[in-house]
Structures are given as structure tokens and as C-alpha cells.
Amino acid sequence: MTTAPALIPELDDIVRRGDPKRRAEAARRLGELFLQGAGSFRADHIDLFDGVLTSLVPHAELAARIDLAERLAPLANAPRHLVGQLAREDDVAIAGPLLRKSPVIDDSVLVEIANAKGQGHLLAMAERSKLSTALTDVIIRRGDRDVIRCAAGNAGAAFSDDSFATLVRRAGRDGVLTLRIGRRDDLPPEHLKSLLAGSIDVIRRRLHSVAKPERQAEIKLAMNEIEGVVAEVVGRDFAAALRAILALHRAGELNEAAVAGFAKAFKYEECVAALAAMTGVKIVTLDRLISGDRYDPILIAGKTIGFEWPTVRALILMRLGANRVPSPADIEGARVNFVRLMPSTAQRVVDFWKSR
């Protein structure tokens, strides 16, 4: 590659002694030259452009700097010092595209800018595809509502324990933030419980409905605990059962086979806790329904979850207890009713239970 002065006649003289207008024009022409050939330049070529452009670009017009920042933002070989210079601009129209996308800005530079600039800069950084805990610590500490919501909803953001605690505290006054935090796969269980504890019931139900299926059981179990069901419910203690079901869920083993095993072992608390987690119905509601005089709630819950008849039969026998044997006619009647029960009908009943 030729030297920079050969790229644009009298460039060296312009850099040293040129008036602002000549410098601005040189910046435009040299910037365009770099962008046209960026894919083929070696590291020493880029360094040469970097050194010259950092002296010229500040003299360019606002529109030219905005255009240059937008075009440099996605480039993995953009001039590092020039990018840093533009990213530190007070005007978010210039800094924003680079803070949002540029892969050449060091994390330490991002943290420096996050500590020094305003909410527009923080919002741009909150939209980056990856955010370190060092950066999110600053963003969560300094950000306003929109910035915090954006960071919380960014799947590529990593948060420290302190930042999660701050997010949960702020979510107590912000239903949108609660939903965004609650849907994060990396939210620790203790913070999920605190998040739900500080939310109104309608937000809890909304969070449960929008969460990923694998997270719904954990949310429901945390809600059950918050609602005081871990203690005695109608003379029963569900604390150990809830812990067991939560452990199965986290291991990916909360399924029909596990419920069937609990039923065959006549483990009532584990069966009810599992059905509560899998249907989204409050454990106190299911306990009251299942311990009643009819087996219909078991048929409805089983149909909604998608259980096969042998598992539902085992649950019916568990409900009766080890010392009671139902008549063959009762069991056959239950089987027929289960087969005839439409999943859509069962789901409507379960939705009604959820509202209770």
C-alpha cells in the first residue's frame, strides 16, 4: 500500500496546517477510501488510516461523522482508535451505532463510556449482542427505566448477583421489567423467588404464561412457596415434596414416569406438587380438589398434561390410599370418562382453577 500522503495529495500538509474545511474534505475522502478497501487491508494499513483519520474526522461535518460511524460499526477491522474517538462523542447519533454494534471496542472502553455518558449512550450499549457483568453493573446502577428494561431483556447480557438483586428491587415497581427478568434462563432461583414475592398476582400469572415450558414449573413452585403453601396445608406439609419436585424439574426429570412412580408409592404430597407444577394450578387448590369426594380432578389434570390412562389410574388409586380397593366398575367408569374427556374441555377447567 502506498503511503497516506500519496492517497490524497498534500494530505500531510492538510493534517499539519490545513484549515477546518480542507481537513473535513480530506476526512471524507480518506474515510471513503478506507471503507471501499477495508476488506483487503492489512493491520499496518489500518493503523495508518487510524492515525490520520483520528486527526481529521473531528473536523468533518455532523452528517459525515454520523455516516462514517454507521458504516464502521459492523466492521471487525475498523480503525480502533477512530472507533473509540467516535464512540466517546456526546452526540448519540454518532456514538450510538458504534456502542450498539462495533466489535472492536474493548470492554474497558465501554465501561469507561458507561460511567461518563448519558442515558442515550447507556441504551445503545444495552442493545449490544453481548454484555459483560462489568458493563451491566454500570448500566444497572446508572440506567433509567428504558435502559434497565432493555438490558434485562437482552439474552446476551450477563449479570452479577448484585445486579440481579438491583433488578429485582426495581421490578417491584415495574411490571414490564418483572416479565423481562422472569423470562431469563440465567436468573438464579433465589432471585426468582424474590421477584415473584414482590409482584402482584396478575403479574405472577402473566409471567407464568409467557415463560418457557421448562421454566414454568419452577415459577409455579416458587409461587406456591410464596403463597404460604410450603407450610401445612389442610394438615399436610408440602415442603419436602416441593423441594423434591423442584430438583426433578432442574434435572429435566419431572415427567409422567416420575408422577407414576410417586403414585404407585402412594406419595400424595409429591403427586399433588408435581401436578401443580405441570398444570400451573396452585397447590392449595389442587390439594383441595384431589382430596375431595370425586376423582374428576385427577382425570382433568391428567388429560391436560397428556398423561396415559395407566398413570391416571395409579393417581386414582393413590388418592384412595393403600388400604382401599376400588371396585372394577368404578375403575372402568373412570377410564371411560377419561377417554371421552376432550383436552380442550379439560384445559378450560384447568384455566378456571388457575384463577381461583
Side-chain angles (χ1 to χ4, degrees):
M1 182 179 133
T2 57
T3 61
L7 295 174
I8 299 178
E10 302 178 354
L11 176 59
D12 186 58
D13 182 61
I14 293 172
V15 170
R16 294 173 181 273
R17 294 180 290 276
D19 61 54
K21 185 175 180 180
R22 292 181 68 203
R23 289 186 179 186
E25 176 60 18
R28 185 192 66 76
R29 294 172 62 189
L30 192 59
E32 189 63 36
L33 187 62
F34 173 80
L35 291 166
Q36 289 175 0
S40 61
F41 291 146
R42 300 195 311 262
D44 58 328
H45 298 161
I46 296 170
D47 288 342
L48 182 56
F49 275 105
D50 203 4
V52 177
L53 284 170
T54 51
S55 297
L56 294 175
V57 167
H59 301 280
E61 295 179 351
L62 175 62
R65 283 182 286 155
I66 292 173
D67 179 69
L68 181 60
E70 290 175 345
R71 297 172 71 182
L72 288 175
L75 299 184
N77 66 340
R80 188 173 300 271
H81 292 96
L82 176 62
V83 167
Q85 182 185 75
L86 292 170
R88 291 179 174 88
E89 289 264 10
D90 290 334
D91 195 322
V92 179
I94 300 171
L98 296 162
L99 295 176
R100 195 173 292 113
K101 294 181 181 179
S102 177
V104 306
I105 306 180
D106 292 337
D107 200 57
S108 59
V109 174
L110 291 170
V111 171
E112 171 205 324
I113 295 171
N115 274 303
K117 299 296 183 179
Q119 298 303 314
H121 292 70
L122 291 172
L123 182 59
M125 283 184 274
E127 296 174 359
R128 291 180 70 84
S129 60
K130 297 290 183 183
L131 299 174
S132 70
T133 55
L135 182 55
T136 56
D137 278 347
V138 181
I139 289 175
I140 299 306
R141 175 172 55 83
R142 299 193 64 237
D144 63 13
R145 185 192 66 179
D146 291 338
V147 170
I148 297 296
R149 285 178 174 180
C150 181
N154 187 334
F159 296 97
S160 66
D161 193 71
D162 286 344
S163 285
F164 267 129
T166 301
L167 284 171
V168 169
R169 283 196 300 272
R170 295 184 67 159
R173 305 182 299 274
D174 187 339
V176 173
L177 182 58
T178 297
L179 295 176
R180 293 191 180 183
I181 300 170
R183 297 176 72 176
R184 294 193 62 86
D185 294 334
D186 57 346
L187 180 66
E190 62 273 17
H191 289 303
L192 173 61
K193 182 179 175 182
S194 297
L195 179 71
L196 293 168
S199 304
I200 60 176
D201 193 53
V202 66
I203 295 297
R204 294 178 189 172
R205 292 198 300 269
R206 174 61 178 160
L207 176 56
H208 182 271
S209 69
V210 300
K212 295 179 181 178
E214 60 270 19
R215 196 69 189 274
Q216 288 182 342
E218 192 166 346
I219 291 172
K220 188 59 192 176
L221 289 169
M223 289 169 63
N224 280 328
E225 186 173 354
I226 292 162
E227 290 159 1
V229 219
V230 172
E232 295 183 357
V233 177
V234 194
R236 296 183 182 274
D237 185 356
F238 285 85
L242 281 168
R243 287 194 295 270
I245 297 306
L246 183 56
L248 282 176
H249 168 67
R250 290 175 180 166
E253 298 174 357
L254 181 57
N255 51 35
E256 182 173 357
V259 176
F262 288 136
K264 291 173 183 178
F266 293 93
K267 294 184 176 182
Y268 178 89
E269 288 81 3
E270 283 79 0
C271 287
V272 174
L275 292 175
M278 298 170 88
T279 61
V281 178
K282 293 179 182 179
I283 196 171
V284 65
T285 302
L286 271 183
D287 176 57
R288 184 173 63 251
L289 291 166
I290 291 174
S291 63
D293 296 332
R294 299 178 60 84
Y295 55 71
D296 303 55
I298 291 176
L299 303 185
I300 293 168
K303 180 66 72 169
T304 302
I305 298 169
F307 283 170
E308 299 292 337
W309 166 245
T311 302
V312 174
R313 180 180 184 277
L315 287 166
I316 292 173
L317 296 177
M318 177 279 305
R319 168 184 168 273
L320 294 174
N323 298 321
R324 292 178 59 188
V325 180
S327 69
D330 287 342
I331 289 297
E332 177 59 17
R335 186 192 68 80
V336 171
N337 288 338
F338 180 71
V339 171
R340 291 176 175 174
L341 180 62
M342 296 297 293
S344 58
T345 302
Q347 186 61 59
R348 284 196 295 272
V349 176
V350 167
D351 289 341
F352 171 71
W353 290 348
K354 289 179 182 180
S355 67
R356 299 175 67 177

